[in-house]
Amino acid sequence: MSAVRVIAGYALQEAVRRRVFSVVLWLTTLFMALYGLALWQVFKRVADIHPPNGIEPRPFAGATVFGLSMFATMFLGVVLGVFLTLGVVGGDAERGLLQPLLVRPVSRTQLLLGRLVAAVAVCTVYVACVYTILLLMTGLIGGWWPDRIALPAVELAAGVATVAALSLLGSVFLSATANGIAVFIVFGAGLVAGLLGSIGEALGSGTLKTAAHVASWALPFEALYQDGLAKITEHTAGFASFILKLGPFGGAHAAGPLLGVWIAGYVLVVSALALAGFTRRDL
Amino acid sequence: MGLRTLAGMPPALSVQALEKRYDGVQALAGVDLVVEEGELVGLLGPNGAGKSTLVKIACGLVRPTSGAVEICGAPPTSADARRALGYLAELFRFPGWYSADELLSLHQRLAGSDGDRAERAELLRLVGLDEAADRSIDTMSKGMQQRLGIAQALIGSPRLLLLDEPTSALDPAGRRTVRTLLEELRGRGVAVMLNSHLLSEVELVCDRVAIISRGKFVAEGSPEELSHARGVEIETGSGMHSFPDAEREDAPRLVADLVARGESVYEVRILRTSLEESYLEVVEDTQE
Ligand SMILES: Nc1ncnc2c1ncn2[C@@H]1O[C@H](COP(=O)(O)OP(=O)(O)O)[C@@H](O)[C@H]1O
Ligand SMILES: [Mg+2]
């Protein structure tokens, strides 16, 4: 276990010294400034918004804007998580950084685990901070609070952790650049699945909805995001049946209690595949 | 050679019938080798001969296709083997954002070495980097990084040191520092396997040299044995007779035989080759 801790500490030090954090922090600050501006604009004239079906304008505007900000939170978290994991095996092995670590009494399992733990810890703290700040901004500027506060944040963090695990898996087989591209393609595929679901919803196409639903579980960061969206208006009457189902990157979809089990199993299988590939790999 | 033991101690490194095939490439084609405690063995061979592959299998970085390797009696991927081992790769890089001292400290923690600041200072002094302890690796020359790499390999007082071309980036003074260091380590009973294609280096420090070509050992012995390759040439009235397998001790008998057959002997030459010549000879033979 102590080897896992040393590797995780090394990964954190690497992230800090290589300025991964400062890049992401700059992007985050920029996004928050824009979000604040958007909030101010939207809620300045919230009375002029006329949502259909007798929904109140304030929850309508709040949920829509906050739903989008949740997507941005997950996206920025994914950028961070991928930065932290994309070269862990292939990239570092090619550069000769990995070999000196692995001839120490550190197993390949411990190395992967240390790296995953570090990435998940960093991303979880990051997502929690960003989510909290955006929540406070929405509440204080817009006067709207989501129905469920903590669970959507947990789901976003879990979504980011899933992508980090996928990126670690990719790093076993691909060079850093190829892996970075591959992971963002997979992430993009999840978003496309969400978009298809929204289109299916708008057109009333059952086939499209089913395909999108299956895809969102195959790439479960998308299912997590959609479930998080559903949670923010969980108790708002008439809401779930309407507008948030049409989010640009996937609408709100309550996933049910099985999602947590599915995610745990998914990350476990992805990690096991990564380990199996890593064990067979000559360095 | 098989497994020998010295006073019941397993050898620092033992390699038996080792084969490695990368897809399509036979990197090692059945190799046996034993390195005893405190022995300094040089592995010589042209590029692509399989030197690095052998060392990487010994540190558990590469999986052998068949055959067996033991480090102090333990399989290479075991924690026991790793604790007994120090390694410097041919193509290594250390995190540029670390200082020399921080790198050594990381490896102390990974190796579970109880050595503290004193061990790090001592190792940096051994490789002539005592002034550079707080310097970031980014700002070090390749030669300094290679010396730091040797210090890193010595963390935790390993019983076996595997050095893959450890002086490729060093100037003559740096090479000399490393030679002196290797001699000191041998004095302390550390076993060393040194990969190199620099004959002079190997000739100067190694107790034993193994020459590898196309994944096979083609010659083995002390530098003297290898550099005094055998062969006798005798010039007679009927021309030159050469006896490539003969040694100095055979010369009187060979001359007597020729004289008995009625030849007149004009000159006898005992052929001695330098290590370089015998190296080129055995390597070229197998490269044909
Ligand atoms: N990862 C690898 N994949 C495929 N072939 C390899 C790999 N590593 C080494 N080889 C091949 O194995 C042979 C031996 O290489 P190596 O052990 O690096 O030789 P040396 O260190 O003596 O120069 C070479 O032909 C090399 O091309
Ligand atoms: Mg080599």
Side-chain angles (χ1 to χ4, degrees), chain A residues 282, chain B residues 22-23 25 27 45-54 56 90 164 195:
Chain A
D282 287 333
Chain B
Y22 296 106
D23 5 69
V25 183
N47 289 327
K51 304 182 295 294
S52 297
T53 301
L54 176 53
K56 286 185 202 165
E90 180 178 15
D164 197 348
N195 276 7

Side-chain angles (χ1 to χ4, degrees), chain A residues 25-159:
Chain A
L25 283 184
W26 275 110
L27 284 175
T28 311
T29 313
L30 188 68
F31 166 72
M32 283 177 178
L34 291 173
Y35 183 66
L37 198 65
L39 276 177
W40 180 62
Q41 289 291 338
V42 167
F43 284 97
K44 197 168 60 173
R45 272 175 250 137
V46 72
D48 299 344
I49 298 173
H50 299 293
N53 292 8
I55 298 171
E56 290 294 308
R58 192 167 295 275
F60 173 74
T64 309
V65 177
F66 190 66
L68 279 174
S69 87
M70 281 168 58
F71 171 75
T73 306
M74 185 161 83
F75 179 79
L76 289 168
V78 162
V79 170
L80 181 59
V82 172
F83 262 141
L84 292 175
T85 48
L86 89 168
V88 161
V89 177
D92 279 9
E94 269 165 33
R95 292 193 293 159
L97 280 164
L98 184 63
Q99 290 84 346
L101 304 178
L102 282 178
V103 300
R104 297 296 173 192
V106 175
S107 68
R108 295 187 182 196
T109 314
Q110 289 171 320
L111 185 114
L112 281 187
L113 196 62
R115 286 293 198 159
L116 185 64
V117 165
V120 168
V122 168
C123 292
T124 301
V125 170
Y126 172 83
V127 166
C129 291
V130 174
Y131 180 90
T132 307
I133 294 172
L134 295 175
L135 177 83
L136 290 174
M137 285 170 79
T138 316
L140 298 177
I141 299 174
W144 176 84
W145 302 89
D147 293 345
R148 298 286 293 267
I149 302 271
L151 197 58
V154 172
E155 290 185 316
L156 290 181

Side-chain angles (χ1 to χ4, degrees), chain A residues 6-7 10 13-14 17-18 95-97 99-106 108 279-283, chain B residues 20 22 56 59-63 82-83 87 91 93-95 97-98 102 106-107 110-111 152 155:
Chain A
V6 176
I7 294 290
Y10 166 74
Q13 249 174 338
E14 178 186 42
R17 305 255 179 115
R18 285 175 70 196
R95 292 193 293 159
L97 280 164
Q99 290 84 346
L101 304 178
L102 282 178
V103 300
R104 297 296 173 192
V106 175
R108 295 187 182 196
T279 309
R280 272 166 193 71
R281 193 182 154 134
D282 287 333
L283 297 168
Chain B
K20 176 64 189 181
Y22 296 106
K56 286 185 202 165
C59 355
L61 291 174
V62 165
R63 299 197 313 162
R82 264 92 188 269
R83 271 190 280 274
Y87 169 62
L91 302 171
R93 183 165 329 162
F94 295 125
W97 54 91
Y98 266 151
E102 285 171 320
L106 170 73
H107 281 273
L110 287 173
Q152 168 275 141
I155 288 281

Side-chain angles (χ1 to χ4, degrees), chain B residues 59-283:
Chain B
C59 355
L61 291 174
V62 165
R63 299 197 313 162
T65 306
S66 65
V69 176
E70 285 186 353
I71 310 284
C72 301
T77 48
S78 67
D80 280 344
R82 264 92 188 269
R83 271 190 280 274
L85 191 80
Y87 169 62
L88 178 61
E90 180 178 15
L91 302 171
F92 65 92
R93 183 165 329 162
F94 295 125
W97 54 91
Y98 266 151
S99 71
D101 191 61
E102 285 171 320
L103 178 81
L104 296 187
S105 163
L106 170 73
H107 281 273
Q108 283 180 324
R109 274 172 283 143
L110 287 173
S113 146
D114 43 19
D116 42 13
R117 205 177 176 78
E119 181 189 34
R120 305 199 293 274
E122 158 77 359
L123 289 176
L124 288 175
R125 191 190 55 73
L126 271 179
V127 296
L129 287 178
D130 30 0
E131 307 281 284
D134 297 319
R135 198 155 145 189
S136 102
I137 294 173
D138 258 344
T139 68
M140 290 185 177
S141 69
K142 192 72 193 145
M144 291 175 84
Q145 294 189 22
Q146 205 158 39
R147 281 186 283 157
L148 178 60
I150 294 173
Q152 168 275 141
L154 287 169
I155 288 281
S157 310
R159 287 166 62 198
L160 171 67
L161 206 53
L162 299 170
L163 304 175
D164 197 348
E165 314 269 2
T167 59
S168 57
L170 297 185
D171 56 20
R175 291 199 170 140
R176 189 190 203 117
T177 310
V178 172
R179 263 204 315 273
T180 318
L181 175 63
L182 291 179
E183 275 155 4
E184 186 174 335
L185 291 172
R186 172 171 44 198
R188 292 190 202 167
V190 177
V192 181
M193 187 158 86
L194 175 72
N195 276 7
S196 187
H197 56 255
L198 296 173
L199 291 129
S200 56
E201 179 170 284
V202 168
E203 199 163 13
L204 283 169
V205 292
C206 292
D207 302 313
R208 198 145 59 82
V209 178
I211 299 179
I212 185 171
S213 175
R214 300 191 149 200
K216 278 200 159 118
F217 285 136
V218 290
E220 205 192 325
S222 69
E224 296 76 41
E225 282 166 350
L226 288 177
S227 60
H228 294 171
R230 301 132 210 152
V232 175
E233 277 181 359
I234 303 176
E235 196 183 335
T236 67
S238 67
M240 182 73 82
H241 297 255
S242 48
F243 303 91
D245 297 329
E247 295 185 36
R248 188 170 182 274
E249 292 69 35
D250 301 322
R253 183 180 51 77
L254 293 170
V255 171
D257 286 354
L258 287 167
V259 170
R261 284 183 2 219
E263 299 273 7
S264 15
V265 172
Y266 290 96
E267 194 179 349
V268 179
R269 275 197 297 272
I270 314 292
L271 298 176
R272 290 151 175 262
T273 53
S274 68
L275 179 58
E276 179 171 325
E277 278 166 334
S278 49
Y279 166 81
L280 288 174
E281 211 169 89
V282 289
V283 165

